[in-house]
């Protein structure tokens, strides 16, 4: 299997959240994303910073992750982004 | 068209003549229409790709967008000054400070147009170039240097030399880039864009050089920008 690039990993992580009824805890997300924890941390921080996901704390202070509107838009536009990058060799 | 002895084989260089350019050769309307097409295409590319960049944060898209913003700015400065001169009769004000005004305009135009071409290269080579920390500063320094040389040494050979260097740099960079697809005409589009952009710059700096081919240069440049805009809009869809 070819090595995934940054955009692909971001898309996969966001898709995992979306497929999990838009609510998933960090640990299962890390497990399912199939990347090392250090790389996961790096990508997680990046998508959080870009406001593609948000963290929600419940009453017991447990953290869950859900997609923002921008996150859903990213998934919608992912193929367009990839095609654009490919077409202009960016 | 009357070619005065003053015009023949005389490098325009900096000063008022540069900003006045050759309004008389093709007509003010044609000049403005040409500028409008180039600025509109560049801005449509810049704003049309905004969402793709905001969502992905992809550096290639960022530099690609910036390149077209610089193209728009370069042409805006050139045309806006021409427009002011022709429409509002600001010649009288310019006569008071002709040297500095013309030089500043030329400097800004040269700076942005060089930067636009360099950023276009940066957009396709960013993975390699970003390994070095100060690439961005380096590109700005090259552009400033070319702009500075253009206003300090008002020399035809130097103008041609600078543009040949820039064009060769584009060719070499594009040639080195490994092709992802077999049938991608991007290489030719970028080469043509750089070639006609260089001709555009020379047309401004040395009006006598291409006065009989000016319309051809304008048409070809407009066609290339429209082609890139078409490729962009086709790819971004309804964004």
């Amino acid at each position: 299997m070819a090595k995934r690039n940054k955009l692909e990993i971001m898309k996969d992580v966001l898709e995992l959240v979306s497929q999990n009824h838009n609510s998933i805890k960090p640990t299962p997300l890390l497990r399912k994303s199939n990347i090392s924890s250090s790389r996961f941390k790096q990508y997680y921080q990046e998508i959080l910073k870009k406001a593609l996901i948000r963290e929600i704390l419940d009453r017991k202070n447990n953290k869950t992750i859900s997609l923002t509107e921008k996150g859903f838009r990213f998934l919608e536009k992912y193929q367009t982004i990839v095609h654009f990058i490919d077409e202009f060799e960016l | 068209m009357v070619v005065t002895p003053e015009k023949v084989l005389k490098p325009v260089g900096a000063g008022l003549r540069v900003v006045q350019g050759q309004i008389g050769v093709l007509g003010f309307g044609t000049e403005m229409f040409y500028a409008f097409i180039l600025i509109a295409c560049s801005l449509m590319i810049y704003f049309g790709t905004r969402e793709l960049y905001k969502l992905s944060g992809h550096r290639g898209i960022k530099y690609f967008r910036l390149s077209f913003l610089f193209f728009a700015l370069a042409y805006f400065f050139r045309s806006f000054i021409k427009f002011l001169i022709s429409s509002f009769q600001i010649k009288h004000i310019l006569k008071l400070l002709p040297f500095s005004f013309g030089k500043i305009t030329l400097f800004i135009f040269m700076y942005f147009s060089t930067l636009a071409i360099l950023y276009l290269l940066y957009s396709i080579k960013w993975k390699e170039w970003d390994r070095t920390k100060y690439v961005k500063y380096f590109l700005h320094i090259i552009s400033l240097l070319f702009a500075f040389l253009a206003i300090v040494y008002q020399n035809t050979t130097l103008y041609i030399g600078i543009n040949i260097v820039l064009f060769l740099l584009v060719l070499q960079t594009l040639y080195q880039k490994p092709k992802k697809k077999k049938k991608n005409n991007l290489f030719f589009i970028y080469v043509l864009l750089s070639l006609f952009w260089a001709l555009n710059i020379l047309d401004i700096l040395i009006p006598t050089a291409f006065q009989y081919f000016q319309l051809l240069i304008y048409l070809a440049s407009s066609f290339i920008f429209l082609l890139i805009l078409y490729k962009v809009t086709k790819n971004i869809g309804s964004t």
Side-chain angles (χ1 to χ4, degrees):
Chain A
M1 197 176 132
K3 198 181 164 190
R4 289 179 293 172
N5 64 29
K6 191 176 152 186
L7 268 183
E8 255 180 306
I9 294 172
M10 279 166 63
K11 187 261 295 180
D12 288 347
V13 171
L14 295 179
E15 250 176 10
L16 283 171
V17 182
S18 170
Q19 283 162 5
N20 225 66
H21 308 288
N22 198 24
S23 179
I24 190 167
K25 286 181 179 171
T27 315
L29 183 63
L30 163 64
R31 189 165 33 84
K32 288 177 179 176
S33 63
N34 207 18
I35 43 174
S36 67
S37 61
S38 61
R39 282 187 83 195
F40 177 79
K41 267 183 198 169
Q42 183 196 330
Y43 290 123
Y44 182 79
Q45 284 307 319
E46 192 162 338
I47 55 177
L48 191 64
K49 204 175 146 192
K50 279 183 182 153
L52 297 172
I53 54 166
R54 66 170 157 252
E55 292 174 338
I56 301 162
L57 292 175
D58 64 14
R59 285 178 190 173
K60 291 175 186 171
N61 243 7
N62 288 326
K63 197 193 285 179
T64 56
I65 300 151
S66 67
L67 292 190
T68 59
E69 230 175 89
K70 200 177 165 187
F72 282 113
R73 186 77 180 147
F74 177 93
L75 288 178
E76 237 174 79
K77 285 278 161 189
Y78 175 74
Q79 283 307 326
T80 310
I81 295 167
V82 170
H83 194 251
F84 185 83
I85 291 166
D86 198 41
E87 189 69 23
F88 288 92
E89 297 188 14
L90 302 173
Chain B
M1 186 192 67
V2 179
V3 182
T4 59
E6 191 195 15
K7 269 181 142 185
V8 176
L9 294 174
K10 194 170 180 184
V12 165
L16 238 187
R17 285 166 298 171
V18 172
V19 289
Q20 284 171 326
Q22 310 191 76
I23 293 170
V25 175
L26 274 179
F28 182 68
T30 317
E31 281 277 346
M32 284 299 118
F33 185 65
Y34 170 61
F36 173 77
I37 290 177
L38 259 62
I39 294 170
C41 284
S42 302
L43 290 180
M44 279 166 85
I45 292 169
Y46 178 74
F47 288 110
T49 50
R50 186 172 57 178
E51 194 188 17
L52 296 194
Y53 173 63
K54 281 202 167 181
L55 289 173
S56 65
H58 192 274
R59 274 182 280 175
I61 299 177
K62 178 184 171 183
Y63 304 139
F64 179 82
R65 296 180 71 226
L66 280 174
S67 166
F68 284 92
L69 180 68
F70 295 142
F71 274 126
L73 282 171
Y75 242 81
F76 171 78
F77 276 104
R78 180 193 178 227
S79 310
F80 184 65
I81 303 298
K82 279 189 175 184
F83 174 73
L84 285 181
I85 290 168
S86 300
S87 305
F88 299 106
Q89 297 295 312
I90 61 162
K91 279 180 187 169
H92 306 298
I93 306 164
L94 293 176
K95 273 178 188 166
L96 298 173
L97 59 160
F99 223 66
S100 56
F101 190 84
K103 279 194 171 182
I104 290 167
T105 313
L106 176 64
F107 184 85
I108 295 171
F109 173 74
M110 279 298 288
Y111 171 68
F112 280 125
S113 48
T114 311
L115 205 56
I117 290 289
L118 292 177
Y119 260 75
L120 198 63
L121 293 183
Y122 194 17
S123 74
I124 55 172
K125 297 284 280 185
W126 67 273
K127 280 179 190 163
E128 292 159 52
W129 290 7
D130 268 357
R131 284 179 204 151
T132 322
K133 235 181 176 182
Y134 305 105
V135 179
K136 274 174 225 164
Y137 303 110
F138 184 63
L139 298 183
H140 283 272
I141 289 168
I142 292 177
S143 306
L144 283 170
L145 185 74
F146 279 1
F148 183 73
L149 286 174
I151 60 160
V152 171
Y153 303 102
Q154 294 166 41
N155 184 298
T156 315
T157 320
L158 180 81
Y159 293 153
I160 296 169
I162 287 174
N163 282 286
I164 287 174
V165 167
L166 258 183
F167 184 61
L168 288 178
L169 189 72
V170 173
L171 275 186
Q172 194 231 5
T173 312
L174 287 173
Y175 191 73
Q176 276 183 344
K177 168 106 180 155
K179 305 286 172 295
K180 283 180 186 171
K181 291 182 202 169
K182 279 181 184 171
K183 280 187 181 179
N184 197 345
N185 49 13
L186 193 75
F187 176 83
F188 296 104
I189 294 174
Y190 280 1
V191 168
L192 284 175
L193 176 73
S194 313
L195 177 69
F196 280 99
W197 193 255
L199 291 178
N200 264 290
I201 294 175
L202 288 175
D203 176 51
I204 293 160
L205 298 173
I206 320 161
T208 50
F210 303 110
Q211 56 190 1
Y212 300 109
F213 307 103
Q214 204 180 27
L215 187 64
L216 190 73
I217 294 172
Y218 285 10
L219 284 173
S221 306
S222 306
F223 175 75
I224 294 162
F225 271 81
L226 285 167
L227 189 69
I228 296 174
L229 177 66
Y230 169 73
K231 267 177 89 83
V232 168
T233 46
K234 198 179 84 177
N235 280 290
I236 58 174
S238 59
T239 311

